[in-house]
């Protein structure tokens, strides 16, 4: 089983969340990699059984490069059936993770709820929530891949 956590972080907050999510996944003995969306390779996304995507919110939506990643790169690998999660930090409104989750569902992914949104810089408690999301992803993945 493999997972990948892809993020676009303008101030480092969403990156910190991504790294904590990856730690939670890793704690459940699932291979995981946290990468900036700039470094996410389509073949890694195809190989992954679970994909978490995070973006900070800018003017009530995700940043344009992440919109392109979602509509072209992620949609292009046809991720239906994969476990998904959406997350991100925000300063005012926080819509980006909600939009990411909606798009993942439209692609046929099994999205973990609730969507994880954190105001500004994640606190230690927030990072524990991120790790919990990673654990939830890994547990959902393991339930889907039960041996016959």
């Amino acid at each position: 089983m493999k997972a990948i956590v892809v993020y676009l972080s303008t101030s480092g907050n969403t990156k910190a969340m991504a790294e904590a999510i990856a730690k939670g996944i890793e704690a459940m003995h699932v291979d995981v990699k946290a990468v900036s969306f700039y470094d996410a390779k389509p073949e890694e996304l195809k190989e992954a059984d679970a994909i978490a995507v995070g973006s900070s919110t800018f003017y009530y939506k995700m940043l344009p490069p992440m919109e392109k990643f979602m509509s072209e790169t992620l949609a292009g690998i046809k991720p239906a059936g994969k476990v998904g999660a959406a997350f991100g930090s925000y300063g005012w409104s926080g819509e980006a993770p909600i939009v990411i989750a909606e798009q993942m569902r439209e692609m046929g992914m099994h999205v973990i709820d609730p969507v994880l949104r954190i105001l500004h810089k994640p606190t230690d408690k927030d990072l524990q929530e991120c790790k919990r999301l990673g654990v939830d992803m890994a547990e959902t993945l393991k339930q889907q891949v039960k041996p016959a």
Side-chain angles (χ1 to χ4, degrees):
M1 289 182 283
K2 290 185 180 183
I4 188 165
V5 182
V6 181
Y7 62 88
L8 170 54
S9 185
T10 54
S11 61
N13 297 338
T14 301
K15 178 181 180 183
M17 293 175 70
E19 290 170 348
I21 292 166
K23 285 179 184 174
I25 294 169
E26 187 176 55
M28 297 299 294
H29 310 289
V30 172
D31 287 339
V32 63
K33 183 176 184 179
V35 296
S36 163
F37 85 101
Y38 293 111
D39 300 321
K41 296 176 179 63
E43 54 274 11
E44 290 176 322
L45 294 167
K46 279 183 184 178
E47 290 175 6
D49 303 294
I51 302 170
V53 177
S55 176
S56 47
T57 298
F58 188 70
Y59 285 110
Y60 308 103
K61 60 184 185 173
M62 66 182 116
L63 296 160
M66 184 53 83
E67 288 177 346
K68 184 175 179 181
F69 171 84
M70 291 295 295
S71 65
E72 294 178 12
T73 308
L74 187 59
I77 66 145
K78 299 184 177 24
K82 293 182 185 287
V83 173
F87 64 96
S89 68
Y90 64 99
W92 293 274
S93 58
E95 286 89 349
I98 295 167
V99 174
I100 290 168
E102 288 170 359
Q103 290 181 6
M104 288 178 147
R105 286 185 185 97
E106 289 168 7
M107 293 178 206
M109 295 178 72
H110 174 82
V111 179
I112 305 288
D113 283 315
V115 169
L116 186 55
R117 302 180 316 151
I118 293 175
L119 181 62
H120 301 300
K121 184 177 179 182
T123 63
D124 288 341
K125 183 180 178 210
D126 293 332
L127 293 174
Q128 288 302 317
E129 281 298 308
C130 293
K131 286 180 188 174
R132 180 74 230 172
L133 176 59
V135 168
D136 290 348
M137 285 184 73
E139 286 176 344
T140 301
L141 182 58
K142 288 180 177 191
Q143 288 172 2
Q144 283 187 349
V145 189
K146 287 182 182 173

